[in-house]
Amino acid sequence: MNLRKYLAFGTAIAMLAGTAALAGCSTEETTETTEEVTTEEVAELEGSITVQGSDTLLNVATAWSEAFMDENPGVDISVQGGGSGTGIAALINGTADFANASRGIKDEEITEAEANGVEPVEHKVAIDGIAVVVNPASEVEELTMEQLGAIFRGEITNWSEVGGADAAIVLLSRDSSSGTYEYFKEEVVAAENEDAEYAASAKLLPSNQAIADEVAANEAGIGYIGLGYLTDDVKVVAIDGVKASVETATDGSYPISRFLYMYSNGEVDGVMKAYLDWILGDEGQQLVEDEGFVPLP
Amino acid sequence: MRGLIYACGWLAIIILGAIAAFLIHNSVRAIQEAGIGTMLSTTAWYPTSSPGKFGLLPLIVGSLYVTGVALLVSVPVGVGAAVFISEFSGRRVKDVMKTIIEFMAAVPSVVYGLIGVAVLIPLVKDIFALDSGMTALTGGVVLGIMSIPTVITISEDALHAVPADLRRGSAALGNTRWQTTYKVTLPAAGSGIFAASMLGLGRAIGETMAVLMLTGNAAVMPASVLESVRTMTGTIAAEMGEVVQGGLHYSVLFAVGLVLFIITFAINLAADLVLERQRKRWRR
């Protein structure tokens, strides 16, 4: 009797999945119609743009699209997250007009794009400053890049080795798929030796917020988070004597900051160009700052 | 109409087959390039290094640790609650309990995860005097709590299905209600309770969001449940969004899914075999 119940339930789920798949097909069809509209140059901006990609950029990308649509009622912009890889794949498949990425496009992806007749063009849209944070109760105020690298490689394991209390260091990192993880690895962990890895004991947390929360709760914790996630519950550690802030990231004196990108297929024109110019203009860059990133200089 | 019902039945099998074929198809590149032997025998998981290191062992062990803890929580509590509801509670208490349990099952896993982050992580850290409360134990306990409703509901069904004659017969032999429960009713419902535990296990090993939030996700070979672990489900969820689609890392994640699929399939198959053997024994 029970088995039959499960079978019935299974079929119900399968049917639901079927309808969901059908719905998926129909949305793909609608996005394909966008390009015809975007090529027309009209005085009153009209058209629709599909943006997909990086979760780091998701908040600011949503803010951009909302503000831009307010000013240009004829324009329809849809923004989706999913990750840099997802966004670039969508650009290559032609289901997105812009791919948001928190990392540069990889050679493998360029090859695949060219095979599909897509020519990815890179646009820098903002700067992300990455602050190194510890618990406010920690005595450590400053680290050198070498010390920071050694800590995240697992070579320095006790806070007393860098002027703190005698306690084991709890390493908190972004997940290995995050663009921030790769950036931090290149600039800090493997700065001197390309083959160096993060310590295996580093806890990999799914978001900036998760790291901020754990550092705020754990006196032995150290982690790295985007400037937008800084609160009074965590303490910023100066790196080589410079504290992370919008000012130090803009003037280049803070060593750990990176660009965030949008990719398009070929050079942009029409409504896409208008949108990109607006993002790079004063209003767009003001939103960058409001969302906790650093505007382009 | 009859044809439609038949088709629906077959559909489930076809879907399962299609899932397996899809996983295998996408894993081929990983199996060829990263090597299935290397993946299953090495312990370094650095998928984004160049070249990537794809040691699945810490992920498999991590999943098993978390699931083991979850079973230790969900089975005793779930079966105990089912016995209480089925054998010892009055009708009104029973109705209230069942409603609450159904509600428990409807709470989204991310909410359990949030509660775990706020309550259990600091608690585990303090109780065991650890550096960090993000451990296999933390994730396992929350998963255990999440799978309790499954265990209760199915165990209670099994206990309910035990014929009243058995209970009356036991009472006629002078057994108390409590003696009847553990000498007669529980053994009679044994196979159903076993099935309940297995379904609870299935829920726990496949859960993603809560473990991602609670276990710390460090890909180490854990020496005890008080260390951080990275599970297979958590790895797939965390990394799929950022990989190069169609690349080696992408394919390795499908291989992880395939391993997970094989493990759950094996558990279910083993459970079915045990149930079948037990049924035969009862028939004699």
Side-chain angles (χ1 to χ4, degrees):
Chain A
M1 188 60 213
N2 255 340
L3 194 68
R4 277 190 210 157
K5 259 192 221 162
Y6 289 127
L7 262 184
F9 186 62
T11 12
I13 297 240
M15 284 171 170
L16 268 181
T19 29
L22 282 178
C25 293
S26 60
T27 50
E28 268 171 37
E29 276 161 30
T30 50
T31 48
E32 273 172 25
T33 55
T34 52
E35 272 181 33
E36 299 155 28
V37 192
T38 51
T39 45
E40 285 172 40
E41 186 84 36
V42 264
E44 185 107 335
L45 277 174
E46 269 185 17
S48 66
I49 304 174
T50 318
V51 187
Q52 198 177 354
S54 166
D55 288 320
T56 307
L57 267 167
L58 187 58
N59 282 347
V60 66
T62 311
W64 282 333
S65 71
E66 282 166 4
F68 192 77
M69 285 190 286
D70 274 351
E71 289 175 27
N72 303 280
V75 181
D76 185 27
I77 303 170
S78 85
V79 180
Q80 284 180 58
S84 306
T86 312
I88 291 171
L91 183 76
I92 293 171
N93 298 335
T95 53
D97 302 315
F98 279 120
N100 288 336
S102 60
R103 57 166 168 84
I105 191 166
K106 292 182 179 170
D107 293 341
E108 233 175 323
E109 287 164 333
I110 295 177
T111 318
E112 204 190 325
E114 281 165 354
N116 275 349
V118 171
E119 181 206 343
V121 176
E122 182 176 289
H123 312 277
K124 290 172 179 157
V125 290
I127 298 171
D128 189 15
I130 297 160
V132 176
V133 291
V134 295
N135 189 278
S138 169
E139 292 158 26
V140 176
E141 301 289 340
E142 187 185 338
L143 293 167
T144 64
M145 275 296 253
E146 287 79 35
Q147 284 174 327
L148 188 64
I151 287 174
F152 273 89
R153 285 191 299 270
E155 291 159 14
I156 295 178
T157 56
N158 196 298
W159 280 114
S160 61
E161 291 172 61
V162 289
D166 181 23
I169 297 174
V170 175
L171 290 176
L172 303 164
S173 162
R174 289 293 303 283
D175 211 294
S176 53
S177 56
S178 147
T180 321
Y181 171 99
E182 287 181 51
Y183 175 79
F184 195 81
K185 182 180 167 189
E186 275 166 32
E187 292 298 310
V188 180
V189 178
E192 287 134 48
N193 172 9
E194 264 186 43
D195 295 330
E197 301 281 6
Y198 282 93
S201 60
K203 294 183 175 35
L204 306 185
L205 304 190
S207 66
N208 279 300
Q209 194 58 51
I211 293 179
D213 289 348
E214 181 63 13
V215 167
N218 193 331
E219 289 185 13
I222 182 168
Y224 56 89
I225 57 178
L227 280 181
Y229 292 87
L230 287 180
T231 63
D232 292 339
D233 297 330
V234 296
K235 186 169 83 174
V236 179
V237 179
I239 303 300
D240 287 342
V242 185
K243 274 197 170 188
S245 69
V246 172
E247 292 75 35
T248 56
T250 314
D251 67 23
S253 60
Y254 183 69
I256 318 172
S257 63
R258 58 164 179 173
F259 287 108
L260 300 172
Y261 307 94
M262 281 168 83
Y263 286 91
S264 60
N265 177 11
E267 289 300 336
V268 289
D269 54 12
V271 69
M272 282 174 67
K273 180 167 175 20
Y275 184 47
L276 193 63
D277 288 345
W278 181 88
I279 286 173
L280 299 175
D282 290 344
E283 278 176 274
Q285 293 298 304
Q286 182 59 47
L287 285 174
V288 166
E289 196 169 347
D290 293 348
E291 294 291 334
F293 295 106
V294 182
L296 293 168
Chain B
M1 191 60 204
R2 199 168 152 189
L4 191 72
I5 300 288
Y6 271 46
C8 289
W10 278 102
L11 193 66
I13 296 169
I14 291 166
I15 289 175
L16 191 73
I19 290 173
F22 184 70
L23 284 176
I24 292 169
H25 174 77
N26 279 294
S27 309
V28 166
R29 186 170 171 195
I31 291 166
Q32 284 172 346
E33 287 181 35
I36 193 151
T38 319
M39 283 195 285
L40 293 179
S41 62
T42 56
T43 58
W45 179 257
Y46 289 106
T48 50
S49 296
S50 48
K53 295 178 193 129
F54 302 106
L56 296 191
L57 223 46
L59 314 184
I60 298 172
V61 175
S63 274
L64 295 181
Y65 267 50
V66 172
T67 313
V69 173
L71 269 189
L72 289 180
V73 173
S74 65
V75 172
V77 177
V79 173
V83 167
F84 171 74
I85 292 172
S86 165
E87 306 296 314
F88 294 99
S89 67
R91 171 159 288 181
R92 190 173 272 178
V93 177
K94 191 172 176 170
D95 285 346
V96 172
M97 292 275 289
K98 281 191 137 178
T99 315
I100 292 172
I101 289 159
E102 273 158 28
F103 181 73
M104 241 181 109
V107 175
S109 61
V110 67
V111 173
Y112 280 107
L114 275 178
I115 296 170
V117 168
V119 180
L120 207 58
I121 286 181
L123 201 66
V124 168
K125 179 175 184 280
D126 288 347
I127 291 176
F128 297 100
L130 301 172
D131 302 331
S132 164
M134 294 183 175
T135 62
L137 180 76
T138 321
V141 168
V142 171
L143 284 196
I145 293 171
M146 286 170 67
S147 42
I148 284 176
T150 314
V151 179
I152 295 182
T153 312
I154 298 168
S155 305
E156 206 263 335
D157 270 356
L159 288 167
H160 191 75
V162 174
D165 291 355
L166 278 181
R167 294 195 185 86
R168 289 198 205 108
S170 167
L173 290 171
N175 280 329
T176 63
R177 207 165 172 184
W178 175 233
Q179 284 167 331
T180 302
T181 301
Y182 77 81
K183 284 183 182 164
V184 178
T185 323
L186 267 180
S191 57
I193 288 172
F194 183 73
S197 309
M198 285 300 125
L199 282 170
L201 190 150
R203 171 110 166 86
I205 202 168
E207 168 53 36
T208 305
M209 198 59 217
V211 289
L212 201 57
M213 295 167 81
L214 297 172
T215 57
N217 305 312
V220 283
M221 289 297 281
S224 80
V225 292
L226 294 178
E227 279 182 33
S228 172
V229 294
R230 188 173 183 85
T231 62
M232 290 185 277
T233 50
T235 303
I236 296 173
E239 297 179 5
M240 204 41 134
E242 296 285 339
V243 296
V244 179
Q245 298 207 351
L248 180 59
H249 185 189
Y250 179 80
S251 180
V252 168
L253 290 183
F254 273 95
V256 175
L258 188 64
V259 170
L260 192 60
F261 183 80
I262 291 170
I263 291 177
T264 43
F265 194 81
I267 289 171
N268 273 314
L269 195 68
D272 268 358
L273 290 178
V274 171
L275 285 181
E276 193 55 34
R277 243 169 88 186
Q278 202 168 16
R279 247 178 245 138
K280 275 188 191 146
R281 206 186 63 201
W282 275 85
R283 242 178 256 146
R284 261 181 229 156

